[in-house]
Amino acid sequence: MSYQEFTFFFLLFFILAEEESVGWGPVLASLQVPELTVDEFLSESQSGCSFLTLYAFILQRLNTEDTSANERRTLALINTWTSQVFPSGPGDEAKLFLWWHKALNLAAEQLQPQAGQTEVSGVVMGLLRLQTRLLQLGEERLNSGLLGAIGLGKRSPVSNRFRVVVRSLAAFLSVQVPSEAELRLQPTSDLQISAKAQQTLGMLEAMPSNKQYAELEDSVNKAVQFIRYPGHSLRDGPRLLALLANLLYPDLRYLHIIH
């Protein structure tokens, strides 16, 4: 089976599975890498924006080996993929939420009290890299190439609501992971926000003042309220993503798994 044939049959099966509400179990059981090496398959999936296929690969990988080491490797893999892909347009963008929802859950699992310092440091560095990448994905113009380097790149193909999501997640991570040596794993009575985090959060809060984001003001305000609430900690990251998916992408059935 070729990569193209595999992707077609996988998406067909996925649609049928969603219609019958049978979940991801049969999808994972049916997932078989086509006649390519694993690296070729993953590369083709990335270049073809087959983000749902890659998500199924992530779930299958986690189901195959239920260990903390495998979870850390998978978390690193999601970070690497996130740094290498860019949605081709609104039709692809929300699929990345599945990756990040899984990454945030894996990070919370890895940051248990019994975790060693080396493991914790690796997860924290991964979260900081994710935060940086989210800010890049939320920019209004592409920053690649010579024109991009001076702020004159082409307009990003992603939607305004996608920018709200990624900037909200970036702001949340900047508050919950202020530096390599700091992170908030438990809620507190008050919330100390660093100058850097305040800058990122201020960018989010200012979005509705731009007329192109005016219709998204309610979603932005709810995200800001969630981020500023001291009763939320890093472990609430998946809840923020679920909130944003419900507010901004309520009709996408493949996101129901994170609702």
Side-chain angles (χ1 to χ4, degrees), residues 93-94 97 159-166 168 213 215-220 223 240-252 255 259:
E93 60 192 26
F97 301 162
S159 68
N160 289 335
R161 59 181 178 169
F162 179 78
R163 292 192 187 94
V164 169
V165 174
V166 294
S168 296
Y213 299 107
E215 65 180 359
L216 301 173
E217 182 176 8
D218 181 63
S219 297
V220 172
L240 173 60
L241 188 50
L243 170 67
L244 292 165
N246 279 327
L247 289 172
L248 297 167
Y249 297 84
D251 299 327
L252 294 183
L255 291 181
H259 290 177

Side-chain angles (χ1 to χ4, degrees), residues 87-115:
S88 61
D92 294 320
E93 60 192 26
K95 298 170 186 176
L96 293 174
F97 301 162
L98 298 175
W99 295 10
W100 301 335
H101 188 266
K102 180 57 65 176
L104 292 169
N105 275 309
L106 289 175
E109 287 292 323
Q110 290 298 307
L111 295 173
Q112 299 293 339
Q114 68 271 20

Side-chain angles (χ1 to χ4, degrees), residues 193-242:
I193 301 179
S194 68
K196 181 180 178 182
Q198 184 59 60
Q199 182 180 13
T200 305
L201 188 54
M203 290 170 54
L204 174 65
E205 291 174 318
M207 290 182 76
S209 64
N210 185 326
K211 63 180 181 180
Q212 75 182 60
Y213 299 107
E215 65 180 359
L216 301 173
E217 182 176 8
D218 181 63
S219 297
V220 172
N221 290 340
K222 287 179 178 176
V224 170
Q225 182 180 17
F226 187 103
I227 295 166
R228 286 194 174 276
Y229 179 55
H232 290 148
S233 68
L234 180 61
R235 303 186 193 282
D236 292 293
R239 289 182 56 204
L240 173 60
L241 188 50

Side-chain angles (χ1 to χ4, degrees), residues 30 82 183 214:
S30 303
T82 298
L183 68 161

Side-chain angles (χ1 to χ4, degrees), residues 166-179:
V166 294
R167 291 183 189 182
S168 296
L169 284 180
F172 176 81
L173 289 175
S174 71
V175 170
Q176 304 298 335
V177 192
S179 70

Side-chain angles (χ1 to χ4, degrees), residues 2-252:
S2 68
Y3 166 78
Q4 289 79 9
E5 290 172 327
F6 169 80
T7 301
F8 171 77
F9 283 114
F10 168 74
L11 291 177
L12 178 61
F13 188 90
F14 171 78
I15 292 170
L16 292 174
E18 282 290 283
E19 289 179 349
E20 297 297 328
S21 299
V22 297
W24 282 83
V27 176
L28 301 183
S30 303
L31 178 63
Q32 295 183 352
V33 175
E35 294 171 0
L36 300 166
T37 67
V38 172
D39 288 343
E40 289 174 333
F41 166 68
L42 297 178
S43 178
E44 288 280 357
S45 296
Q46 290 178 58
S47 62
C49 292
S50 298
F51 302 148
L52 291 179
T53 301
L54 290 168
Y55 179 66
F57 179 86
I58 289 168
L59 296 184
Q60 188 184 63
R61 175 177 174 144
L62 291 170
N63 288 342
T64 301
E65 182 185 338
D66 185 18
T67 65
S68 293
N70 187 44
E71 289 181 353
R72 289 194 296 273
R73 289 193 296 268
T74 303
L75 184 56
L77 181 63
I78 295 173
N79 253 322
T80 297
W81 286 352
T82 298
S83 70
Q84 294 173 344
V85 303
F86 199 100
S88 61
D92 294 320
E93 60 192 26
K95 298 170 186 176
L96 293 174
F97 301 162
L98 298 175
W99 295 10
W100 301 335
H101 188 266
K102 180 57 65 176
L104 292 169
N105 275 309
L106 289 175
E109 287 292 323
Q110 290 298 307
L111 295 173
Q112 299 293 339
Q114 68 271 20
Q117 184 59 42
T118 301
E119 288 80 5
V120 170
S121 296
V123 173
V124 170
M125 290 299 296
L127 291 172
L128 290 173
R129 287 195 298 272
L130 176 59
Q131 191 246 352
T132 298
R133 181 55 176 161
L134 290 170
L135 287 175
Q136 293 172 346
L137 290 170
E139 292 177 352
E140 294 179 5
R141 294 192 176 275
L142 301 177
N143 56 13
S144 60
L146 180 60
L147 291 177
I150 59 176
L152 298 176
K154 296 189 300 181
R155 181 168 177 79
S156 171
V158 301
S159 68
N160 289 335
R161 59 181 178 169
F162 179 78
R163 292 192 187 94
V164 169
V165 174
V166 294
R167 291 183 189 182
S168 296
L169 284 180
F172 176 81
L173 289 175
S174 71
V175 170
Q176 304 298 335
V177 192
S179 70
E180 297 176 23
E182 299 176 87
L183 68 161
R184 295 183 73 252
L185 290 177
Q186 299 296 333
T188 55
S189 58
D190 62 344
L191 186 62
Q192 300 295 324
I193 301 179
S194 68
K196 181 180 178 182
Q198 184 59 60
Q199 182 180 13
T200 305
L201 188 54
M203 290 170 54
L204 174 65
E205 291 174 318
M207 290 182 76
S209 64
N210 185 326
K211 63 180 181 180
Q212 75 182 60
Y213 299 107
E215 65 180 359
L216 301 173
E217 182 176 8
D218 181 63
S219 297
V220 172
N221 290 340
K222 287 179 178 176
V224 170
Q225 182 180 17
F226 187 103
I227 295 166
R228 286 194 174 276
Y229 179 55
H232 290 148
S233 68
L234 180 61
R235 303 186 193 282
D236 292 293
R239 289 182 56 204
L240 173 60
L241 188 50
L243 170 67
L244 292 165
N246 279 327
L247 289 172
L248 297 167
Y249 297 84
D251 299 327
L252 294 183

